[in-house]
Each structure stands twice: as C-alpha cells, then as structure tokens.
Amino acid sequence: MEQTSQPALAQIPANRRLVDELYAHGKISHEARAYALDFLYPADKWGIWISRLFLAVGTALVLSGIVYFFAFNWAKITPLMKLSSIQGALFCCLLGAYYYKLDRVSGQILLLSASVLTGVFMAVFGQIYQTGADAYQLFMMWSVFILGWTVISNFAPQWILWLAVTNIFLGLWWDQAALPERESEELIFVIFAAFNGLMLTLREVFVARGGAAWLDQRWVRILLTIVALLPLSGPLLVWVLESGGANNALKLSAAVGVIGHGLLYAFYRFKVRDMWSLAAIALSVCIILEAAVLDLLASTFDDVEILMFLLMGLATLGIFSLAVLYLRRIISVMEADHV
C-alpha cells in the first residue's frame, strides 16, 4: 500500500496562521494560544523595530543635511574647511563603528554613514581640484573603496548601498567610456541583468548554506529580485513597443529577458517557493503584456481613441485578474504542502 509522505515537523513554519488553526480545531487551549503568540511575537519587538527605524531615518536625515550643506554653501566654504570637515566626520563614524562593533546595529549604521561620506569626500575633492575625471570614475572608486567595509559589515543595507553605487558606475561607464554604437546600446540591459542576477544568486547560495543569516530577510530577496527584473523587463518592453525597428542587440537583450524571467519563475516556484518574488515576476509579466495589448490596440483603433481606451481597460482587468487567480492557486498549493 502506497504511503503518502508527511512533512517533517521542522519543515512546518510556526506562525500566527498555524496557531489560530490549531486553536480553531480545539487542539490547543486559549492559554496555550496566548502563550504561543507571545513567544512568536513578543511585545517588545515593535519597540525594537521602531527604535531602529528612528535610528535609520535620523541617520539618513543627517547625511542628507551634510550633502545639502555643502551644495548650498559651496562658494562660502574654504577648500580646507570642506575637506577637513568631511574627513573629521568620516573618522568619527569609523571610530564609532569600531567602538560599538559591527555586531550591533549602531556600529553598522556608523559604517554605512562612513561609506556615504566617502562618496561625498570624493565628489568634493573632484570639484575643488577639478581632476577632469568622468563621473563613472568617481562611482567606480567609491565602489572599490567601500567594498572592504561592505564585506566585513554583515549588514544588508550596506550591501544595498554598494550595489546601488556599482550599478550607477556600470551605467555611466557604458555611456562615457565604452561608447557603444547605436546598434549595440541595448546590451547594457544584459550587463545589468548579469550583474544583478549574480548578486541575487550569491545571496540565495549563502543563505542556503546557512552562512549569511543577516541576508536571510525577505525584503532583501524581494529588493534584489525587483532589481534583477528591471533590466530583464526593459528590453522586452522596448521590443514590444518598437518591434519594427528592433536591432540584433535589442533582440538579444529581449531573449535574455525571457530566459531570465523563466529562470526566476522556476527557482521561486519550485526550488525556494517564495510568494513575494513570484508576485514581482507576475507583475513584470503583466506590464509586458499590457504593453503588447496597448501596441496592438493603438495600431488597430488609431482613429477611435475612446474604443481603444475602453478595450485597454478591459484587457487590464483581464490580465491582472488572471494573474491574481494564478497566484492564489499557487498559494493554495503551497499551503497544502506546508510551505
């Protein structure tokens, strides 16, 4: 007789939904339910998150104030004062990060502040001495200088900052140094997709091996998935809207976009099974389908705009309704498998 495989107890996630289901079926008492919820969601957890939120917002406001201070009072500040004040703030941030250690949020925030001030110092230095360097070189050196801090930080926002700086460097380098011909401009989508896809892959590998618990946060995966989807969706949108004038570089980028969407879907549908990432992929596909329908209706009902907008609205309802129904079906399957 064939036996159905039951999931191991360690594979069943402990969350509010499971506790409520056990209580609804009479498996646990009211006191046990209250104790389980207090254990899973302690009362002081919100206080910790609020304090960290205020710390992050305050740091962002202080750093923004420093940047705007130099921008607004540029002509009134001497070069020595500009460089010495930024270096002093940078040194204080590094000293604070060393004092509080990188296993505390305060130390990690101070190291992140030092990374931001490094870019501010390089920009001010370039403006004072008029080095003549292109903008991509500033972001390239900024990325190189903070890479060591990023590696030892074990702090997800620090990695996000490094990824943002590096992406800007790649875009500016392609435009200012690579100087692509018109027929190969769209290959920048492939470069962005390869780089951000590699970062997402490394994140999943490190998390799967259990060596990067600080990366095992859902918002990090969602953010990296969205960043990887943007260069995959871009060429597809351009190809759909300008299919008549598509060159070989655009066709290659669009092919990479299709393959990338397929790989991301297969990985988060069958391997990791993350619903938020699947929702981001579904949204990307819906936008591409919307562009295709819009292009079709615009060419068919060019003279009757009212009818075109009416049909476009109906198509939008249909596309997103099908996407929601499909995602709900996947949720049901995941719940049945205790994912």
Side-chain angles (χ1 to χ4, degrees):
M1 181 177 180
E2 183 179 359
Q3 297 180 352
T4 58
S5 61
Q6 298 293 332
L9 184 61
Q11 297 177 348
I12 302 177
N15 50 33
R16 180 182 294 273
R17 182 185 181 88
L18 178 61
V19 174
D20 289 339
E21 287 185 356
L22 292 175
Y23 177 72
H25 289 83
K27 302 298 183 181
I28 59 176
S29 63
H30 178 76
E31 292 76 11
R33 175 181 178 274
Y35 178 82
L37 292 179
D38 289 338
F39 179 79
L40 292 174
Y41 309 100
D44 59 347
K45 188 174 182 180
W46 287 106
I48 296 175
W49 280 108
I50 290 175
S51 63
R52 291 180 177 178
L53 176 63
F54 285 159
L55 177 62
V57 172
T59 303
L61 291 175
V62 171
L63 293 175
S64 300
I66 294 174
V67 174
Y68 282 104
F69 173 79
F70 284 101
F72 187 77
N73 301 285
W74 181 262
K76 301 178 182 179
I77 307 177
T78 62
L80 178 61
M81 182 61 68
K82 295 173 184 176
L83 297 178
S84 60
S85 58
I86 299 176
Q87 286 179 328
L90 178 59
F91 177 77
C92 290
C93 288
L94 291 176
L95 187 64
Y98 177 78
Y99 175 79
Y100 286 107
K101 308 300 180 184
L102 295 181
D103 55 353
R104 299 177 58 181
V105 177
S106 54
Q108 294 169 336
I109 289 290
L110 286 169
L111 186 62
L112 177 65
S113 302
S115 300
V116 174
L117 290 174
T118 300
V120 176
F121 175 81
M122 294 178 62
V124 172
F125 184 87
Q127 287 293 326
I128 291 176
Y129 293 101
Q130 295 296 321
T131 58
D134 293 327
Y136 83 90
Q137 294 177 322
L138 184 150
F139 285 94
M140 178 184 67
M141 297 309 299
W142 188 4
S143 174
V144 172
F145 287 157
I146 68 174
L147 177 59
W149 297 342
T150 303
V151 172
I152 66 174
S153 66
N154 292 339
F155 191 43
Q158 175 76 28
W159 277 97
I160 298 302
L161 172 66
W162 182 82
L163 287 175
V165 172
T166 307
N167 273 279
I168 296 174
F169 151 65
L170 289 175
L172 293 175
W173 168 82
W174 182 257
D175 195 37
Q176 298 175 357
L179 299 176
E181 298 180 357
R182 186 173 181 82
E183 291 76 15
S184 58
E185 289 180 348
E186 290 79 8
L187 290 179
I188 186 60
F189 290 112
V190 179
I191 296 175
F192 278 134
F195 175 72
N196 293 294
L198 176 62
M199 294 298 105
L200 179 59
T201 302
L202 291 176
R203 185 262 177 198
E204 297 296 345
V205 170
F206 288 142
V207 170
R209 292 180 178 179
W214 52 276
L215 277 177
D216 193 12
Q217 303 179 53
R218 176 164 289 181
W219 72 267
V220 177
R221 171 184 287 165
I222 297 172
L223 181 59
L224 290 178
T225 302
I226 294 174
V227 173
L229 283 171
L230 289 176
L232 296 175
S233 305
L236 288 172
L237 289 172
V238 177
W239 182 70
V240 166
L241 297 175
E242 301 179 4
S243 57
N247 52 37
N248 292 331
L250 181 58
K251 292 178 182 178
L252 175 61
S253 301
V256 172
V258 173
I259 296 173
H261 277 81
L263 291 176
L264 288 174
Y265 172 79
F267 182 78
Y268 289 117
R269 172 65 180 88
F270 302 106
K271 182 67 175 179
V272 176
R273 297 188 178 186
D274 184 77
M275 201 60 228
W276 286 97
S277 298
L278 287 177
I281 298 170
L283 177 61
S284 176
V285 174
C286 288
I287 293 175
I288 295 171
L289 292 177
E290 283 273 296
V293 173
L294 177 62
D295 182 68
L296 176 62
L297 293 177
S299 60
T300 305
F301 302 99
D302 189 19
D303 298 332
V304 189
E305 294 185 356
I306 296 179
L307 181 59
M308 182 187 71
F309 286 119
L310 175 61
L311 295 176
M312 191 65 209
L314 295 175
T316 300
L317 291 175
I319 291 172
F320 281 92
S321 297
L322 290 175
V324 170
L325 291 175
Y326 183 69
L327 291 176
R328 292 186 64 180
R329 178 177 175 274
I330 294 178
I331 292 176
S332 302
V333 174
M334 289 183 176
E335 289 179 348
D337 295 336
H338 299 283
V339 176

